Amino acid sequence: MNRTTEIEAALQKAVDSGEVAGAATLVWRDGEARTACIGWRDAEARLPVERDTIFRIASMTKPITSVAALMLVEEGRIALTDSITQHAPEFANMRVLNSPDGLLSETDPAERPITFEDLLTHRSGLTYGDFHRGPIAQAYREALGDDIDSDVPPDDWIRRLAALPLIGQPGSAMYYGCSTDLLGFLIARIEGAPLGAVLRRRVFDPLGMNDTSFLVPREKRDRRSAAYGFDDEGRLTKRVTRSGVFVAERPEDMAYESGGAGLWSTVDDYLKFARLFIGTGEVDGVRLLNRETLAMMVTNQLTDSQCANSRLLGMKPFAVGRGFGLGVSVVMETDKTDLMRRGSPGTVSWPGAFGGWWEADPEKGSVLIFLAHNMVDLPQMAKGIGLGVWGAIETFQTLASVSSP
């Protein structure tokens, strides 16, 4: 049995056990891409996952937005140390909660402004409301709407976010959250165009990423994966809103474009982006970042104290052996028991909440990509529901990391 067949068998087991509706994977090594696609992009319509199936990639959007920001840095349009108030004066005079889950009225003044580097490293003090149990959680929901497709227009979203207190002093620790969404809106302000148009001009068109966008065009929607999740008993089910619209869909007239989580893409499109990290900022003769900028992007930017105090879903993911650069996680010490630390030192990666994951390993010259649609909310995860997709990703990563065909 060759390696691709083993990956297919492992994915089929996950589909058969109801852990995932379907998945598309890609392994790129020595200039050759091998794919394995198993299960259904729409189980009810009996439409299989195929190589060109389009998935909502959630937080795998963040590295793309980060590259666009670093292109502005190279052009001298912004500096990493610049205060964001130069482009978002709404963030002057910020307040910081005394406790992340404390009363919104119990705050201290921010000790310094938020910088672009803070946004790229998630050290801004911004968060995701659903990560908290205190009043800040409800305040985020009421002010900002949905994390991925909000009905709040960008300028209003920026104003409302700036009116909320931070959960930590800027620069004090990594608090994973909506920093990259804010970064995307600031890129749009600086460029004087919607973020989707900026990414199309700067990243997608140059790299030939023709199936990556915030909105799937009507003529491509037959290739789009439906949204799947789990009921309270852990049974796989298609997820819909009250109006009967798939939760993965984006309204066509929505102005909000989430630079943190909103893109759709395919395994082949994301490969074109991920190869930037193998080719020192260049893919097939197209250079987006110079070598020095890419090297800075993939170098850990967190201090020992910031690593120790980092927060993500109540965990400290960067405390040992793994760091965070400018928009990507980076392996510092390999540990085969940790999905995010299995690559060679210098390997970069980042997952997406809908069951997506990728890594680029410059030492091995390889890229691994896994895409699926598994919409699981935090209360379900706390009950152990819907976690099978992460086991499938680990199995794929283990099998794909072996160099045989």
Side-chain angles (χ1 to χ4, degrees):
M1 182 181 293
N2 65 34
R3 195 63 58 201
T4 301
T5 303
E6 287 184 311
I7 292 172
E8 290 173 341
L11 293 179
Q12 189 64 61
K13 183 178 180 180
V15 171
D16 292 344
S17 63
E19 295 172 343
V20 62
T25 70
L26 183 147
V27 179
W28 186 85
R29 186 179 290 116
D30 299 325
E32 181 179 359
R34 296 177 180 270
T35 60
C37 303
I38 296 294
W40 308 101
R41 69 179 189 270
D42 191 323
E44 290 75 14
R46 309 305 287 175
L47 297 175
V49 170
E50 297 175 307
R51 183 166 178 165
D52 65 353
T53 294
I54 303 172
F55 294 87
R56 201 90 189 260
I57 62 172
S59 286
M60 288 170 62
T61 303
K62 288 181 171 68
I64 296 176
T65 301
S66 300
V67 164
L70 291 173
M71 294 174 78
L72 293 178
V73 172
E74 286 192 349
E75 294 167 9
R77 309 275 296 280
I78 60 174
L80 293 177
T81 55
D82 283 348
S83 166
I84 66 171
T85 57
Q86 295 183 27
H87 302 282
E90 296 94 330
F91 283 86
N93 304 313
M94 294 299 293
R95 306 287 299 182
V96 181
L97 288 173
N98 290 343
S99 168
D101 291 321
L103 296 176
L104 301 183
S105 59
E106 297 179 352
T107 63
D108 294 316
E111 295 172 356
R112 67 164 176 80
I114 297 169
T115 66
F116 282 98
E117 184 177 33
D118 291 331
L119 296 183
L120 283 159
T121 56
H122 293 275
R123 293 179 294 187
S124 62
L126 300 171
T127 186
Y128 284 133
D130 287 345
F131 286 179
H132 302 276
R133 294 185 296 272
I136 194 68
Q138 184 64 24
Y140 261 72
R141 284 190 292 270
E142 291 178 352
L144 307 180
D146 292 341
D147 289 333
I148 294 182
D149 287 328
S150 174
D151 58 1
V152 180
D155 286 342
D156 289 342
W157 187 92
I158 291 173
R159 176 179 53 79
R160 294 182 185 187
L161 178 63
L164 298 174
L166 303 175
I167 62 165
Q169 288 288 345
S172 62
M174 181 184 182
Y175 294 96
Y176 188 64
C178 63
S179 289
T180 316
D181 293 276
L182 177 58
L183 180 65
F185 288 134
L186 297 186
I187 291 171
R189 278 189 176 181
I190 293 166
E191 292 278 60
L195 179 61
V198 175
L199 295 181
R200 173 63 55 196
R201 175 174 58 84
R202 286 187 171 274
V203 181
F204 305 151
D205 283 348
L207 294 182
M209 297 171 65
N210 299 321
D211 288 326
T212 303
S213 60
F214 286 111
L215 178 69
V216 179
R218 288 185 176 273
E219 65 272 15
K220 296 182 180 181
R221 291 185 183 176
D222 61 322
R223 293 163 45 201
R224 181 181 56 184
S225 178
Y228 285 92
F230 298 86
D231 63 19
D232 291 338
E233 281 70 49
R235 293 171 299 208
L236 194 69
T237 182
K238 185 178 285 187
R239 297 191 65 172
V240 297
T241 63
R242 293 177 184 174
S243 60
V245 178
F246 293 152
V247 294
E249 282 187 12
R250 171 187 171 82
E252 292 189 20
D253 60 350
M254 180 171 283
Y256 182 95
E257 292 177 327
S258 171
L263 286 173
W264 295 77
S265 194
T266 65
V267 288
D268 281 296
D269 263 20
Y270 210 87
L271 171 65
K272 295 171 183 176
F273 172 75
R275 285 178 58 197
L276 287 170
F277 300 89
I278 302 298
T280 62
E282 178 182 353
V283 177
D284 295 334
V286 176
R287 179 167 293 282
L288 297 192
L289 296 175
N290 66 41
R291 291 172 179 266
E292 294 76 17
T293 302
L294 187 83
M296 179 174 58
M297 183 179 185
V298 302
T299 298
N300 174 48
Q301 302 294 321
L302 305 181
T303 66
D304 290 344
S305 174
Q306 290 163 351
C307 284
N309 291 321
S310 63
R311 294 290 189 276
L312 177 57
L313 293 175
M315 301 179 292
K316 297 183 178 181
F318 302 99
V320 179
R322 179 157 54 105
F324 198 82
L326 300 174
V328 289
S329 172
V330 57
V331 173
M332 298 164 65
E333 299 174 7
T334 298
D335 180 352
K336 292 185 179 181
T337 67
D338 182 344
L339 174 65
M340 300 290 280
R341 288 175 57 196
R342 290 187 183 181
S344 308
T347 296
V348 296
S349 64
W350 199 246
F354 294 162
W357 173 84
W358 71 285
E359 76 166 28
D361 186 331
E363 182 176 309
K364 295 180 180 177
S366 65
V367 173
L368 309 181
I369 301 170
F370 185 109
L371 296 181
H373 265 180
N374 251 44
M375 283 67 173
V376 182
D377 56 35
L378 292 179
Q380 288 180 316
M381 291 176 63
K383 297 177 182 178
I385 294 174
L387 302 183
V389 67
W390 302 106
I393 291 173
E394 288 197 59
T395 300
F396 161 68
Q397 202 267 7
T398 300
L399 293 171
S401 295
V402 180
S403 61
S404 60

